[in-house]
Every structure is written in structure tokens, then in C-alpha cells.
């Protein structure tokens, strides 16, 4: 199956080509030309199957034969063997019809591991088959960077550069990026916000000469394969609560809109989902957009859920493409307006199509902290601040529809954010044993200005150094 760009002006690509391309050459994001669908019988058949089995079916349907079946099975088995829980992504009940889907049992304690452990293996596999190398440049507000570094460290065919906003990630998140000893990994602190880092990455992709020279690839959720891998846990969790015979709703702490978009994709593939709830922190651009129809940037605030301190919510573009009837020209107009004036307006029809599937709630800092305290007192369950945003949004959804089970995506382990968790609950969460000595490990990083030329010069120099050392 081919993949098309949301801006309609880039060549259509296979799954493997889209995997290596990252961002489309017209600045858009790749999506499959058509959504594969599963029958209710097939979905029911997932009951009692392992996470890896379901992943084989879902990722297999999305890759549509482009990755050889036995190789895909082996990569999936290896990727999910790195998780510390036998269920990979277990469900935990914390209230009446209220569940947390724990996505943080992977190596770096964040939901990013679920996709990234597979992405690393997929990219390595495709590059080996083609005899090619790639240079990955990614942006992180805290979790993507650590997960990517863990998944790609030591791979011979890939150099990885992760841009993070200096001083705006938690200590644990920073150390997970800066203490890994591998020559192909480079942690880069940027003097700016996450949006600046993400803009730099997109600018590098849009500089075609540079992109081709270094074989640029991406690991952010602009890369379609990231979303494809995240669709799986919507199926496993819904089926464990009775789908397809029973509908469920999902509440998703949201920043770059990748995780909640994966829920939308699951629904398009046939999973009976009632509502998708977007929970934002005080960087509430998506909640304002759903309320007013105007996507309007107002400046980013630092919060206790730093991974969601985002204003340019990249994957929203994929949803805009769908609700505009897959009209690339319409998406281009909206994105041009965003670039020129920091805002765009969604017309009545596409807006009502969005509202037909999604609700959105902004949860401020006080409510986030109150939710951590409440869930600890009432359920004896410790939430990280991002998941707490999701739980607080979920309670609103349950008040409107108490009969439908609500699954909150638990996106990070509380020990990644000990200060906020302790302040809210009085409990200091501890890191799992494999990260017990994280604070003693030596840090290595490079500080760069928020400047495309400086980043390109650094990447060019380091990527070449690694290549010539490997040659
Ligand atoms: C812990 C955590 N929760 C939620 C999010 C938001 O996810 P998304 O950017 O896919 O909306 C992120 C960052 O992506 C995160 O790291
Ligand atoms: N919250 C993310 C930001 C990047 O999002 P991505 O899903 O597009 O990689 C992070 O923690 O880095």
C-alpha cells in the first residue's frame, strides 16, 4: 500500500520508504492511501492473545506486506521482550469504569518505548537490506529523546542527534539522554523551547540538499511508523474490556497529537471507540481549538508535565487532512496561515467532523496536582503528571457518560517526575533497578543556539566523523 502526504505534493511512498523518509518532501506527513480494516470477528479473536500477536496483525496490516512477515514477527518479539511486564502494556483499574493503560514498562519508562523499540529494529532491518545508512535528527520535550537513544544506541547504520530544550526537561529525562555511552548518539541542548527544536528538525527536512547529503531520517511521530506501532495498544486494551462487543472511550494526555491520533486510526480500522478525549496541560491550544475552531499560538508555558509543553501539535495535520476530505491543498493553506500569522481557522464542516470524534479539556497545574493527590488517596495509585492530566480529563468524560468504560493512556512512570509527584502526593516514587545509578552516571551533551545553520554544521561534522570511523 502506498502512503500519501497530507500536503498532496510529495511522491507516494511504500511503508519502508515512508519509514526512512520521516517527513514528506513537501513538508507534509505521510498516511496510508486507504485505511486497512479488521472485521469484528478478527478483533474478537485478539482476546487472550499476546501483545506481540496483536502487534503482528495490526502492524502487519499497516505495513501491508512491505516488511517480510517472519522478519516482522522476529522484530516484534524482540522489541516487546525489552518490556518489564509480561502483558507489555497492562490495564489497571483505578475507579468505577476508569482504567489506566500502563505504557511505561519499557526501557525508558515512557510510552515512547512501545513504538521506538520496534522502529529502531525496523529501520536497522530496512537499512541493512538496502545497504544504506541514515542520520536521524529528532526533537524531544523529554521522552522521545531518551526512548530513541535507547532504541538506536550502538546501531552501525544510524547516527542519532536529539535536540531538547535546555532546562525544560526533568532531570531523569535529561540524564536518560546525556548518560548513554555510544558513539552514534548525540544529545544536543538547544537554547529554546520544544517547538523551536521541532521547527529546527522540520527545517532540516525541508532543506533538501542537506537532507539528501546526510540521509536524514526522523523518529518523531511525524514518522508514520511511530503512529502505526501505537495503534496496537488501543486494540489490546479495548478487547480486554469486551470490545468489539462493548464500546470503550479513551482519554489521552496530548502534546504532539501522535498518541491520540493512533486512537483515531484504530477506530478507522474498525475498533468500536465511543469518544477520544484530548487532555492538555495549561498549554491548551488543542482544547481552545476544539472550543472555538481557531488554532491560535499564544506562547508556551513550562509545566510539571514538560513533555506536553507544546504548541505546534504536528499530528493534528493528519487529522486536518482526514476532515478536509484528504484535500492536500486545503491543508497547505492552513499550514501556510500558521507559519505566516501563528493561527488558522477551521471551517464549520471539518470542525464538526472533529467534534464528532473528539472532546478536549485543558487541565491546569493546580488540577493536575490535585488529581495526583486524589488518585493516590482514593485508589493507592501513583500517577505521573502527564497521566494525571489524562485522568482529570477522563473524569469529565465519565461524568457525561458513566456507562462506557474509560481507558486513560498512562504515558510515563511517576519516577520520571519525582518532584511534582512528591509535592502532590507526599510520596517519592523510585526508579526501577536498571536506572538506579542514573544520577551517578557522567553526562555528555552539546549546547547549541536555536539556529538552523549551527545545528546543520554540528550534525554534518559529527555524522561524517562517525561514518569515517566506521569506514
Ligand atoms: C509522558 C508523555 N505524555 C504525553 C505525551 C503527549 O503525547 P503526544 O505528543 O503523542 O500527544 C508525551 C509526549 O509526546 C509524553 O512524553
Ligand atoms: N512529548 C514528546 C514530544 C515529541 O513528540 P513525538 O511523539 O512527536 O516524538 C517528547 O517527550 O519528546
Amino acid at each position: 500500500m502506498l502512503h500519501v502526504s497530507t500536503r498532496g505534493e510529495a511522491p507516494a511512498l511504500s511503508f519502508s520508504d515512508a519509514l526512512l523518509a520521516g517527513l514528506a518532501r513537501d513538508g507534509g506527513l505521510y498516511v496510508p492511501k486507504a485505511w486497512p480494516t479488521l472485521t469484528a470477528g478478527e478483533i474478537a479473536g485478539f482476546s487472550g492473545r499476546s501483545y506481540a500477536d496483536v502487534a503482528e496483525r495490526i502492524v502487519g496490516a499497516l505495513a501491508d506486506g512491505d516488511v517480510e512477515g517472519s522478519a516482522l514477527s522476529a522484530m516484534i518479539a524482540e522489541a516487546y521482550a525489552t518490556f518489564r511486564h509480561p502483558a507489555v502494556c497492562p490495564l489497571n483499574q483505578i475507579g468505577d469504569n476508569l482504567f489506566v493503560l500502563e505504557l511505561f514498562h519499557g526501557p525508558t519508562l515512557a510510552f515512547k518505548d512501545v513504538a521506538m523499540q520496534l522502529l529502531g529494529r525496523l529501520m536497522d532491518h530496512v537499512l541493512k537490506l538496502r545497504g544504506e545508512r541514515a542520520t536521524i535528527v529528532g526533537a524531544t520535550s523529554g521522552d522521545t529523546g531518551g526512548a530513541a537513544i535507547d532504541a538506536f544506541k550502538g546501531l552501525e547504520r544510524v547516527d542519532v542527534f536529539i535536540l531538547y530544550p535546555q532546562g525544560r526537561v526533568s532531570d531523569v529525562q535529561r540524564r536518560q539522554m546525556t548518560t548513554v555511552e555510544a558513539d552514534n548518539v548525540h544529545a544536543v541542548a538547544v537554547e529554546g523551547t520544544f517547538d523551536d527544536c521541532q521547527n529546527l528538525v522540520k527545517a532540516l527536512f525541508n532543506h533538501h540538499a542537506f537532507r539528501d547529503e546526510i540521509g536524514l531520517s526522523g523518529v518523531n511521530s511525524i514518522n508514520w511508523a511511530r503512529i502505526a506501532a501505537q495503534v496496537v495498544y488501543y486494540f489490546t486494551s479495548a478487547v480486554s474490556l469486551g470490545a468489539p462487543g462493548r464500546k470503550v472511550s479513551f482519554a489521552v494526555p496530548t502534546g504532539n497529537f501522535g498518541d491520540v491520533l493512533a486512537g483515531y486510526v484504530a477506530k478507522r480500522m474498525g475498533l468500536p471507540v465511543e469518544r477520544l478525549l484530548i487532555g492538555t496541560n495549561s498549554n491548551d491550544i488543542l482544547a481552545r481549538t476544539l472550543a472555538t475552531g481557531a488554532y491560535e499560538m499564544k506562547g508556551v508555558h513550562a509545566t510539571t508535565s514538560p513533555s506536553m509543553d507544546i504548541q505546534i501539535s504536528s499530528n493534528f495535520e493528519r487529522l486536518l487532512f482526514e476532515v478536509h476530505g484528504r484535500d492536500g491543498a486545503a491543508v497547505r493553506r492552513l499550514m501556510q496561515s500558521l507559519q505566516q500569522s501563528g493561527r488558522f481557522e477551521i471551517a464549520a464542516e471539518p470542525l464538526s467532523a472533529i467534534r464528532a470524534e473528539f472532546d478536549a479539556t485543558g487541565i491546569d497545574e493546580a488540577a493536575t496536582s490535585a488529581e495526583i493527590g486524589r488518585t493516590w488517596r482514593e485508589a493507592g495509585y501513583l500517577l505521573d503528571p502527564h497521566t494525571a492530566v489524562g485522568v482529570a480529563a477522563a473524569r469529565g468524560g465519565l461524568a457525561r457518560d458513566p456507562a462506557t468504560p474509560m481507558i486513560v493512556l498512562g504515558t510515563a512512570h511517576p519516577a520520571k517526575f519525582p518532584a511534582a509527584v512528591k509535592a502532590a502526593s507526599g510520596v517519592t516514587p523510585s526508579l526501577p533497578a536498571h536506572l538506579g545509578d542514573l544520577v551517578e552516571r557522567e553526562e555528555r551533551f552539546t549546547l547549541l543556539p536555536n539556529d538552523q545553520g549551527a545545528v546543520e554544521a554540528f550534525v554534518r561534522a559529527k555524522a561524517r566523523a562517525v561514518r569515517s570511523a566506521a569506514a
Side-chain angles (χ1 to χ4, degrees):
M1 178 178 10
L2 288 175
H3 294 69
V4 293
S5 164
T6 50
R7 300 196 191 173
E9 292 188 323
L13 299 181
S14 68
F15 181 83
S16 310
D17 285 333
L19 167 79
L20 295 186
L23 196 68
R25 286 181 94 83
D26 60 1
L29 279 67
Y30 277 109
V31 289
K33 201 163 181 180
W35 298 113
T37 51
L38 279 70
T39 64
E42 274 183 287
I43 297 171
F46 290 158
S47 177
R49 305 297 296 272
S50 70
Y51 189 88
D53 282 352
V54 180
E56 267 182 48
R57 177 67 185 102
I58 302 295
V59 179
L62 289 164
D64 194 28
D66 194 44
V67 181
E68 195 267 312
S70 62
L72 183 63
S73 307
M75 287 185 271
I76 285 174
E78 264 186 36
Y80 298 119
T82 66
F83 278 58
R84 296 179 312 285
H85 196 288
V88 181
C89 301
L91 256 192
N92 203 319
Q93 184 159 15
I94 61 164
D96 284 349
N97 257 350
L98 180 58
F99 301 83
V100 172
L101 174 60
E102 296 182 345
L103 302 173
F104 47 74
H105 294 287
T108 69
L109 317 184
F111 81 96
K112 309 287 176 166
D113 291 321
V114 180
M116 210 65 85
Q117 286 295 323
L118 184 57
L119 196 73
R121 289 169 171 84
L122 278 169
M123 271 203 192
D124 194 42
H125 172 77
V126 174
L127 288 169
K128 263 188 198 138
L129 285 178
R130 297 179 180 196
E132 291 174 8
R133 293 182 56 88
T135 303
I136 288 168
V137 184
T140 188
S141 53
D143 286 329
T144 293
I149 285 174
D150 187 90
F152 287 87
K153 65 177 188 253
L155 292 185
E156 276 173 25
R157 295 179 174 275
V158 184
D159 304 324
V160 187
F161 297 81
I162 297 295
L163 313 184
Y164 66 91
Q166 191 201 11
R168 288 174 178 259
V169 301
S170 81
D171 285 354
V172 173
Q173 288 177 315
R174 189 193 67 250
R175 286 178 167 279
Q176 284 180 320
M177 294 185 274
T178 59
T179 62
V180 173
E181 284 181 38
D183 288 345
N184 70 326
V185 158
H186 306 274
V188 179
V190 172
E191 293 168 330
T193 63
F194 167 74
D195 287 323
D196 295 326
C197 297
Q198 181 161 247
N199 284 339
L200 283 167
V201 169
K202 288 182 179 171
L204 263 47
F205 272 104
N206 290 328
H207 182 180
H208 291 173
F210 177 78
R211 173 181 183 152
D212 295 339
E213 175 196 339
I214 63 160
L216 185 61
S217 192
V219 287
N220 282 105
S221 54
I222 53 175
N223 190 319
W224 169 249
R226 277 274 311 278
I227 308 293
Q230 289 173 210
V231 174
V232 176
Y233 44 71
Y234 283 90
F235 278 92
T236 56
S237 58
V239 167
S240 72
L241 291 182
R246 182 158 76 141
K247 278 191 167 185
V248 297
S249 292
F250 289 91
V252 188
T254 301
N256 228 2
F257 206 76
D259 218 5
V260 73
L261 184 92
Y264 173 81
V265 173
K267 191 169 180 180
R268 298 297 300 262
M269 291 177 73
L271 186 69
V273 175
E274 183 67 38
R275 302 292 298 164
L276 289 162
L277 270 70
I278 300 163
T280 70
N281 65 18
S282 22
N283 297 293
D284 61 351
I285 188 162
L286 289 168
R288 286 187 280 111
T289 304
L290 262 75
T292 66
Y295 189 102
E296 197 161 26
M297 293 180 15
K298 287 195 171 159
V300 75
H301 318 284
T303 71
T304 51
S305 46
S307 303
M308 304 192 320
D309 293 350
I310 295 176
Q311 284 204 98
I312 303 169
S313 209
S314 293
N315 282 282
F316 197 58
E317 180 168 339
R318 286 186 164 118
L319 180 63
L320 290 171
F321 185 58
E322 294 301 316
V323 297
H324 285 85
R326 297 200 146 204
D327 176 358
V331 175
R332 280 202 306 280
R333 280 194 293 277
L334 296 177
M335 293 304 134
Q336 266 158 17
S337 165
L338 184 65
Q339 200 173 19
Q340 283 158 10
S341 62
R343 71 188 302 282
F344 59 79
E345 294 269 351
I346 306 174
E349 207 178 306
L351 183 61
S352 78
I354 293 174
R355 287 175 177 158
E357 312 278 354
F358 295 87
D359 297 300
T361 316
I363 306 294
D364 67 16
E365 286 293 271
T368 304
S369 180
E371 187 56 65
I372 296 173
R374 173 180 175 180
T375 302
W376 174 246
R377 283 191 310 278
E378 292 181 3
Y381 188 86
L382 214 46
L383 298 169
D384 95 281
H386 305 75
T387 310
V389 166
V391 173
R395 291 196 197 275
L398 272 175
R400 293 188 290 275
D401 175 11
T404 304
M406 174 69 72
I407 299 174
V408 182
L409 269 52
T411 50
H413 191 292
K416 290 193 94 163
F417 309 95
V421 173
K422 168 114 197 304
S425 66
V427 180
T428 304
S430 42
L431 285 167
H434 74 285
L435 292 172
D437 66 344
L438 191 65
V439 289
E440 286 135 41
R441 298 181 197 165
E442 194 187 334
E443 294 196 68
R444 282 189 316 149
F445 65 94
T446 304
L447 180 64
L448 290 181
N450 174 19
D451 176 75
Q452 184 179 348
V455 174
E456 285 186 2
F458 180 76
V459 170
R460 191 180 273 121
K462 291 292 177 185
R464 280 192 181 157
V466 173
R467 280 174 191 196
S468 55

